[in-house]
């Protein structure tokens, strides 16, 4: 085994085009560091519906130029088999370590395969790449990003020509083409031949952002903005300036791209502590709301002031606010969300007489809904302009929520006031998450197995009226690894995360509310119920 490992590492080293990872691997081979070599050479990073995502480093279990070149070659082979022999592939990238290298490698591989390639001019938000695919009539797009993962990670997200992310069976077909590649030496990689785009795509994207706002709507809400050390700042500021909003106050320490994300443990607005600097800036400047993007700016977080303290709104709360705003503006078309998001969206759509769809988790599914007008996912992802961007877009979502805050401000009201109105109209839909980050993935498999073998019959004293194993699929959903429990007045979904080493449990309770005076009591009831469901679910799953 030991000799075999060294041999595999040495073969890999001979082909590695990157001096950084070559150096790293040479040292591991020299030191005969079996533990580390095993971690990198036992298996390969799996190409799935999120594309690739993993820790940077040498070897097939890490993100590096060799893995990316192979992935690009697999994608090129897949596109050619689909009949796109000379179509355009457009490539975007964020500001993480190695992102630009991975983008250039992809362009070289596409060019070598006889396809056309165009690379965005610099690190830009993921939604700009998603827009560019449709705008330029590309057959596919690649975004090099690890979104809100830790600094040591990078990733590779693949879109097809409709501008939405790949779904089965395309992922498995691309993976099979990647597996069929024997040597990097078989992949032509010219030094030139692709196009580096200018700013015309970004200009076209920004022109499109105007369309999400109502003509002559108030534009008075003041914001504090953090880019979370990512690539969102310039695009967001340009969009806000075009719209005529007050210039956002920046969280200076997090405004510019920094691949080391020095001020946050995880560059995800949902993680504890990530918004502390934004809250401090808001205490100084007293804005109407705080807006945060994640590092590739496809997500949008919103915080509001309640009783003199700043609070992050849950993705489900922002999702409902945007839906209510679009209904008020007379939007037509289908409202869609993933199964782990709040059922409040369905109530809002039903009352407005609009079609409503539920999909599997991930924008790759939401974006494919027929006649989509608005889609959202609880993990801070919102699609408010599906004709322009078939994916979540943290820039246009920020514009729309700031327009809503401006309209409410003119009436001396706030976003929390509108949430209260929605609770009285539709019932209080309170959501929470039990999320367990693991070092060892077998912990997640064991928890899922335990719940399948010994399913709970009640949680928090509420009987489970329906238990569904989603691996079997339902009449409306394709199979996925997850469990869904319907309780009297509550709902629970348990699933492994598709992009991080986490087990995620999504909880929702619905409390009827007769009048605004009943809201405080309903809040207390909801909080107590969610706490009890979390406790009982932890016990049932053994986590």
């Amino acid at each position: 085994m030991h000799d075999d490992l060294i041999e595999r590492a040495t073969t890999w080293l001979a082909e590695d085009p990157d001096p950084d990872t070559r150096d790293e691997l040479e040292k591991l081979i020299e030191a005969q560091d079996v533990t580390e070599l095993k971690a990198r050479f036992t298996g390969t990073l799996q190409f799935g519906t999120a594309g690739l995502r993993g820790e940077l480093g040498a070897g097939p279990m890490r993100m590096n130029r060799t893995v990316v070149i192979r992935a690009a070659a697999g994608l090129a082979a897949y596109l050619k088999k689909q009949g796109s022999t000379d179509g355009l592939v457009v490539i975007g990238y964020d500001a993480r370590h190695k992102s630009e290298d991975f983008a250039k490698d992809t362009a070289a591989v596409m060019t070598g395969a006889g396809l056309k390639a165009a690379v965005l001019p610099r690190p830009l938000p993921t939604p700009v790449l998603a827009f560019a695919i449709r705008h330029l009539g590309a057959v596919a797009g690649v975004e090099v990003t690890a979104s809100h993962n830790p600094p040591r990670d990078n990733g590779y997200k693949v879109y097809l020509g409709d501008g939405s992310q790949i779904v089965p069976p395309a992922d498995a077909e691309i993976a099979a083409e990647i597996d069929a590649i024997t040597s990097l030496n078989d992949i032509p990689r010219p030094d030139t031949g692709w196009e580096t785009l200018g700013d015309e795509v970004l200009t076209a994207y920004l022109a499109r952002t105007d369309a999400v706002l109502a003509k002559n709507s108030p534009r008075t809400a003041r914001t504090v903005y953090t880019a979370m050390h990512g690539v969102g700042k310039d695009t967001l500021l340009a969009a806000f300036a075009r719209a005529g909003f007050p210039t956002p106050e920046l969280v200076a320490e997090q405004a510019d791209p920094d691949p080391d994300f020095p001020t946050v443990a995880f560059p995800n607005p949902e993680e504890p502590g990530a918004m502390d600097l934004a809250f401090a800036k808001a205490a100084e400047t007293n804005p109407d709301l705080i807006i945060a993007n994640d590092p590739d700016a496809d997500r949008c977080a919103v915080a509001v002031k309640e009783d003199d303290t700043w609070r992050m709104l849950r993705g489900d709360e922002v999702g409902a606010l945007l839906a209510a705003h679009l209904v008020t503006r007379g939007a037509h078309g289908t409202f869609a969300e993933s199964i782990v998001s709040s059922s409040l969206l369905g109530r809002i759509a039903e009352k407005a007489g609009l079609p409503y769809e539920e999909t599997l988790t991930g924008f790759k599914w939401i974006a494919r809904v027929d006649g989509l007008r608005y889609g959202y996912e609880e993990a801070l992802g919102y699609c408010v302009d599906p004709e322009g961007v078939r994916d979540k877009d943290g820039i246009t979502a920020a514009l729309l929520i700031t327009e809503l805050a401006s309209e409410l401000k003119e009436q001396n009201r706030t976003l929390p006031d509108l949430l209260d109105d929605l609770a009285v109209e539709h019932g209080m839909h309170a959501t929470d998450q039990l999320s367990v980050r693991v070092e060892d993935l077998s912990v997640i498999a064991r928890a899922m197995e335990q719940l399948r073998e010994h399913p709970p019959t009640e949680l928090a004293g509420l009987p489970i009226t329906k238990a569904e194993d989603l691996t079997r699929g339902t009449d409306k959903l394709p199979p996925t690894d997850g469990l869904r429990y319907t309780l009297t007045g509550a709902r629970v979904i348990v699933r492994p995360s598709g992009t991080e080493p986490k087990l995620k449990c999504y909880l929702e309770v619905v409390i009827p509310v007769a009048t605004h005076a009943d809201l405080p009591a309903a809040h207390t009831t909801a909080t107590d119920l969610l706490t009890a469901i979390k406790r009982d679910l932890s016990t049932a799953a053994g986590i």
Side-chain angles (χ1 to χ4, degrees), residues 485-540:
Y485 302 117
T486 307
L487 300 86
T488 310
R491 183 211 66 193
V492 173
I493 290 172
V494 184
R495 61 179 278 274
S497 165
T499 53
E500 296 175 275
K502 279 183 175 180
L503 180 69
K504 291 187 159 182
C505 312
Y506 304 84
L507 327 174
E508 177 174 49
V509 298
V510 184
I511 314 287
V513 183
T515 68
H516 280 75
D518 300 311
L519 283 166
H523 267 294
T524 305
T525 306
T527 304
D528 292 349
L529 261 180
L530 287 168
T531 304
I533 291 173
K534 261 190 190 180
R535 181 196 61 220
D536 292 357
L537 188 62
S538 286
T539 306

Side-chain angles (χ1 to χ4, degrees), residues 393-414:
D393 181 346
I395 306 291
T396 47
L399 287 170
L400 200 61
I401 198 76
T402 309
E403 176 184 62
L404 173 58
S406 301
E407 283 187 4
L408 292 165
K409 185 179 181 177
E410 303 289 296
Q411 305 156 25
N412 281 325
R413 300 178 72 232
T414 63

Side-chain angles (χ1 to χ4, degrees), residues 10 135 181 192 221 240 270 309 366 396 403 405 448 491 502 532:
T10 309
H135 179 68
I181 294 157
T192 56
F240 269 56
E270 292 178 294
T309 57
I366 295 169
T396 47
E403 176 184 62
M448 294 299 287
R491 183 211 66 193
K502 279 183 175 180

Side-chain angles (χ1 to χ4, degrees), residues 248-265:
E249 292 275 359
L250 299 179
V251 177
E253 302 92 325
Q254 299 176 334
D256 294 315
D258 186 333
D260 295 319
F261 304 103
T263 67
V264 288

Side-chain angles (χ1 to χ4, degrees), residues 7-353:
E7 190 184 331
R8 260 182 294 164
T10 309
T11 306
W12 182 276
L13 181 67
E15 289 193 345
D16 190 341
D18 187 336
D20 295 340
T21 42
R22 284 177 64 82
D23 186 45
E24 184 188 320
L25 189 51
E26 268 169 1
K27 288 188 174 116
L28 292 175
I29 295 170
E30 218 167 284
Q32 305 227 339
D33 187 337
V34 174
T35 312
E36 195 55 39
L37 288 170
K38 257 188 190 163
R40 291 151 181 266
F41 284 88
T42 310
T44 53
L45 268 191
Q46 289 307 299
F47 186 93
T49 45
L52 292 165
R53 203 177 282 186
E55 197 176 326
L56 288 159
M61 287 298 286
R62 297 283 185 268
M63 281 298 294
N64 50 63
R65 289 183 58 197
T66 304
V67 163
V68 164
I69 288 164
R70 296 174 77 94
L75 173 60
Y78 166 83
L79 291 170
K80 287 165 86 167
K81 278 194 180 164
Q82 299 296 309
S84 305
T85 47
D86 60 351
L88 172 69
V89 179
V90 60
I91 301 147
Y93 57 101
D94 67 12
R96 283 177 180 262
H97 292 296
K98 299 285 178 190
S99 286
E100 187 174 356
D101 293 345
F102 295 168
K104 298 262 167 67
D105 281 331
T106 303
V109 171
M110 295 303 160
T111 306
L115 291 148
K116 297 186 187 76
V119 185
L120 292 179
R122 59 185 170 279
L124 285 166
T126 293
V128 176
L129 181 273
F131 166 81
I133 295 164
R134 291 164 66 83
H135 179 68
L136 298 172
V139 294
V142 171
E143 175 70 19
V144 180
T145 180
S147 189
H148 57 279
N149 275 39
R152 63 174 185 269
D153 289 1
N154 212 330
Y156 198 80
K157 205 186 248 191
V158 176
Y159 298 75
L160 292 180
D162 61 355
S164 52
Q165 295 174 49
I166 52 167
V167 294
D171 57 342
E173 290 168 12
I174 295 167
E177 296 292 348
I178 296 169
D179 290 343
I181 294 157
T182 48
S183 163
L184 234 57
N185 302 327
D186 301 338
I187 304 169
R189 284 181 291 139
D191 294 330
T192 56
W194 59 90
E195 183 186 0
T196 301
L197 296 163
D199 274 349
E200 60 284 349
V201 169
L202 180 61
T203 305
Y205 167 82
L206 285 168
R208 179 97 215 165
T209 63
D210 303 350
V212 304
L213 302 175
K215 287 221 171 12
N216 307 318
S217 60
R219 311 275 166 97
T220 52
R222 292 170 50 251
T223 54
V224 156
Y225 172 70
T226 173
M228 208 65 66
H229 298 298
V231 300
K233 180 193 72 174
D234 293 348
T235 307
L236 182 126
L237 289 179
F240 269 56
R242 286 180 70 104
F245 287 114
T247 304
E249 292 275 359
L250 299 179
V251 177
E253 302 92 325
Q254 299 176 334
D256 294 315
D258 186 333
D260 295 319
F261 304 103
T263 67
V264 288
F266 289 97
N268 177 355
E270 292 178 294
E271 292 280 349
M275 294 290 283
D276 288 357
L277 287 169
F279 293 157
K281 186 74 180 176
E284 278 171 41
T285 57
N286 197 28
D288 298 297
L289 71 164
I290 298 172
I291 300 279
N293 284 139
D294 68 338
D296 69 326
D298 62 351
R299 294 166 197 245
C300 174
V302 180
V304 294
K305 200 173 190 179
E306 278 182 324
D307 308 325
D308 288 331
T309 57
W310 285 90
R311 170 175 90 82
M312 259 274 287
L313 292 178
R314 293 190 163 278
D316 285 319
E317 292 176 305
V318 177
L321 288 168
L322 291 174
H325 183 43
L326 288 168
V327 165
T328 307
R329 280 189 16 193
H332 291 289
T334 303
F335 280 21
E337 65 181 340
S338 64
I339 55 170
V340 298
S341 307
S342 169
S343 57
L344 177 54
L345 185 69
R347 305 257 176 115
I348 292 170
E350 187 183 10
K351 179 134 197 214

